[in-house]
Amino acid sequence: MLSLLPIWLPAVVVVGVLYSWFRSWYRLRDFKGPWLAGLSEAWLFGVTTTGELHMRLYEASQKYGDDFVRIGPNWLMTSDPDVIRHMNAAKYKHQKSSWYEALKVDPYVHSVFSETSVTKHDQLRVKMASGYSLKENRDLGVKIDAEIASLVDLLERKYVSTADDVRPLDMAGAAQFWSLDVITSIALGEPFGYLTEDKDMYDFIKIIQGELPLATLCSSTPTLGNLVFGSGLVKLIGPSPKDEKGRGKLMGIAKRVVGDRYGANKVVRDDMLGTFVRNGLDKRQAESEILTTILAGSDTTATAVRATMLYIMTNPRVYNKLVEEIAAAERNGSISSPITSAESRQMPYVQAVIKEGLRIHPPITGLLTKLVNPGGETIKGRFIPGGTGIGQCGWGIQRHPIFGEDVDVFRPERWIEASEAQRSEMEKTMELVFGTGRWGCLGKTIVLVELDKIFVELLRKFDFELMYPGSAWKTRNFTLFMQKEMWVRVTKREVASS
């Protein structure tokens, strides 16, 4: 049979492949990047599999330039804050790319995070925005305080060490348990009980960390993502709320807790989900939004707490200065117990530490790719064809020259020493970790209140030290950070007499 094939057929196939590669390369030929990235998605696929995507993107940004780097046949990446603001500005109506499709927590229904239609996204956002506001969540601070108290109780019950009794604490796990209990309390009216039980309730962390690498691979490589999510395959073999494990198990939990809020005998509560219901979010959409809120609202906050604590513990100067500011505030009575967010924001060094922690280790480092409008646009003096995806290098953005020469150093003092004008620009750039414009993070206010409180409350009661400084934690990056085994020794802080 093979002998019957025309002898010229292999040559035609080779020419076809070469022509396809040429077309892929030619479209964005004016933009530098890894040579393989101009021909296929293989480069981005490869760097994603390393578990160090944030660093590989940052290295490419440094090598090929911060304005635009070609990372795929139809994708560019930038570390320029101005470009990010342009692509996120409401007035330009840039759409989200296929990058978001694979990162739907519920694979059948878009959330406000993954929705690519500008119109549908805006409609969802209107229905959900009040649920994240301090006006609707009047007891937000009380709920956060309650979970901080639960964390303190857990430490005192099981993890306070003495000279004769060392009780290692995995700070990575404790931070995740705390953030999960906070967001479930805010979203659903009561915590799931991670801190009370000191375990991964419903295998939530295990399931998400098991599925996140593949989801990120699908988001980084549109061809693979389309095969899985665009071909209908997910509808045939995807998860079901009836599953006893995996993502389907989480969907089942969401279906159960959301189902109580709808129907003739619905439960009415004054929490985030209650706000969604009052504002007209339908039941199926609410299931998707609650799942996404719990994931996004817990994982990023946990990373911010872990990373900031790591940098504090490995920098004695910062540690001592921070503890002294907290102790001084206690002595002069300028902070309550527990501290309020307003009081925390009057403590310059506490706020500098929070900002520096978010800057030096941004909690989410995904590309968050948006599409250039049809017809193309000239951005920063360069014409970019319509339909081109522009992603962001989160690590590079937070090492912009606006922060000074020592951007790789954890130095909170930069926020205090800067002039008012420079500090304003620094804050605008740092806050890009929450997104901006049309696509800004709805949960930003909640996260900042959590961070205002957690470091003060932990360090006024305990001392923390790394048990294994040479191997502080195990960490991998797949859009979000998967971190574990951050072993610390916790001791009770002695209260100095006044």
Side-chain angles (χ1 to χ4, degrees):
M1 289 293 293
L2 291 176
S3 62
L4 298 178
L5 293 174
I7 60 174
W8 44 262
L9 185 59
V12 170
V13 172
V14 170
V15 170
V17 171
L18 291 175
Y19 178 67
S20 176
W21 282 352
F22 176 77
R23 287 188 63 188
S24 293
W25 167 81
Y26 189 78
R27 189 170 183 276
L28 297 176
R29 63 193 179 281
D30 294 331
F31 296 91
K32 296 179 181 179
W35 69 270
L36 184 58
L39 302 177
S40 74
E41 298 165 4
W43 180 83
L44 197 49
F45 181 92
V47 297
T48 302
T49 62
T50 65
E52 297 181 336
L53 179 60
H54 62 304
M55 293 307 299
R56 303 292 83 80
L57 295 177
Y58 180 48
E59 289 165 1
S61 180
Q62 288 184 303
K63 182 175 181 179
Y64 297 104
D66 291 334
D67 52 357
F68 297 104
V69 179
R70 189 175 191 178
I71 58 172
N74 195 40
W75 279 8
L76 302 175
M77 175 188 69
T78 184
S79 291
D80 189 323
D82 290 336
V83 176
I84 301 303
R85 295 185 188 106
H86 174 86
M87 294 304 295
N88 285 271
K91 64 180 179 180
Y92 296 120
K93 296 186 177 181
H94 294 116
Q95 281 193 300
K96 292 178 176 178
S97 76
S98 60
W99 182 90
Y100 289 84
E101 181 71 28
L103 292 172
K104 292 189 295 187
V105 185
D106 183 328
Y108 309 109
V109 179
H110 274 296
S111 68
V112 72
F113 170 75
S114 64
E115 179 59 66
T116 56
S117 164
V118 172
T119 300
K120 291 180 180 178
H121 168 272
D122 290 353
Q123 291 171 347
L124 278 175
R125 195 176 177 95
V126 168
K127 293 179 180 180
M128 296 173 61
S130 61
Y132 289 88
S133 71
L134 292 178
K135 182 178 179 181
E136 288 286 340
N137 279 299
R138 292 183 295 273
D139 59 348
L140 173 68
V142 174
K143 290 180 176 179
I144 295 173
D145 290 341
E147 299 317 314
I148 291 177
S150 187
L151 175 58
V152 169
D153 177 67
L154 173 63
L155 297 184
E156 291 180 335
R157 281 189 291 115
K158 297 182 65 173
Y159 296 109
V160 170
S161 292
T162 65
D164 301 319
D165 184 15
V166 179
R167 300 181 176 184
L169 168 72
D170 180 7
M171 176 65 82
Q176 188 103 41
F177 289 175
W178 173 71
S179 61
L180 278 163
D181 271 351
V182 169
I183 196 60
T184 52
S185 177
I186 292 169
L188 304 173
E190 59 185 31
F192 275 179
Y194 290 84
L195 292 169
T196 303
E197 300 297 325
D198 192 21
K199 68 178 183 179
D200 181 9
M201 303 294 289
Y202 312 111
D203 294 327
F204 185 88
I205 300 170
K206 178 182 177 181
I207 292 169
I208 292 300
Q209 293 193 353
E211 301 203 8
L212 190 58
L214 177 59
T216 300
L217 277 174
C218 289
S219 70
S220 295
T221 51
T223 300
L224 177 61
N226 187 60
L227 175 66
V228 176
F229 295 97
S231 63
L233 182 63
V234 72
K235 294 182 179 180
L236 295 176
I237 63 173
S240 163
K242 298 179 181 179
D243 294 344
E244 294 298 321
K245 59 182 180 179
R247 195 183 314 196
K249 181 177 180 179
L250 299 184
M251 293 168 60
I253 294 168
K255 184 175 182 177
R256 185 174 69 252
V257 298
V258 170
D260 293 339
R261 307 298 185 93
Y262 291 83
N265 299 314
K266 65 182 180 181
V267 175
V268 178
R269 285 185 177 173
D270 187 19
D271 53 22
M272 184 184 291
L273 179 55
T275 303
F276 294 168
V277 175
R278 288 196 299 274
N279 288 335
L281 208 64
D282 67 64
K283 179 176 176 291
R284 189 65 184 87
Q285 188 67 50
E287 292 171 9
S288 177
E289 297 298 349
I290 284 298
L291 261 185
T292 304
T293 295
I294 293 173
L295 169 61
S298 65
D299 203 279
T300 51
T301 303
T303 295
V305 172
R306 297 172 189 136
T308 305
M309 285 297 293
L310 177 62
Y311 280 98
I312 291 170
M313 287 187 289
T314 53
N315 193 319
R317 176 184 55 78
V318 173
Y319 192 109
N320 293 333
K321 195 169 182 177
L322 179 60
V323 168
E324 175 52 36
E325 184 178 65
I326 295 170
E330 287 194 297
R331 287 194 300 269
N332 63 33
S334 61
I335 60 174
S336 309
S337 182
I339 191 171
T340 68
S341 182
E343 291 167 348
S344 178
R345 294 182 187 186
Q346 297 302 311
M347 301 176 72
Y349 205 69
V350 167
Q351 293 302 305
V353 166
I354 292 170
K355 293 172 185 175
E356 186 72 345
L358 290 170
R359 182 197 72 81
I360 202 164
H361 199 289
I364 181 169
T365 58
L367 287 165
L368 304 170
T369 310
K370 312 300 188 304
L371 298 176
V372 173
N373 286 324
E377 298 176 61
T378 298
I379 305 174
K380 301 288 282 194
R382 305 192 68 177
F383 180 77
I384 302 176
T388 301
I390 299 181
Q392 64 184 49
C393 176
W395 216 254
I397 292 167
Q398 299 306 327
R399 281 150 179 79
H400 189 272
I402 188 64
F403 296 110
E405 297 295 327
D406 58 344
V407 291
D408 289 316
V409 177
F410 181 74
R411 195 173 67 84
E413 288 78 8
R414 75 178 76 248
W415 298 91
I416 297 171
E417 297 168 355
S419 67
E420 186 174 344
Q422 182 183 8
R423 183 162 53 251
S424 175
E425 286 301 311
M426 289 166 58
E427 288 173 348
K428 284 167 52 180
T429 302
M430 180 276 293
E431 288 178 354
L432 290 176
V433 300
F434 298 105
T436 187
R438 167 175 269 113
W439 312 113
C441 174
L442 283 168
K444 174 182 175 181
T445 299
I446 295 174
V447 174
L448 290 178
V449 173
E450 290 177 273
L451 298 181
D452 282 340
K453 292 171 172 286
I454 186 65
F455 302 114
V456 173
E457 290 304 313
L458 288 180
L459 289 167
R460 78 197 297 184
K461 295 178 174 68
F462 304 102
D463 272 318
F464 298 84
E465 57 185 310
L466 287 171
M467 294 188 66
Y468 309 108
S471 180
W473 58 12
K474 292 182 179 178
T475 179
R476 293 190 297 159
N477 177 257
F478 293 99
T479 298
L480 302 173
F481 284 93
M482 299 161 57
Q483 295 161 333
K484 62 181 181 179
E485 297 183 31
M486 183 180 168
W487 297 109
V488 300
R489 180 174 181 266
V490 184
T491 53
K492 288 282 286 184
R493 174 172 292 282
E494 295 184 8
V495 180
S497 57
S498 57

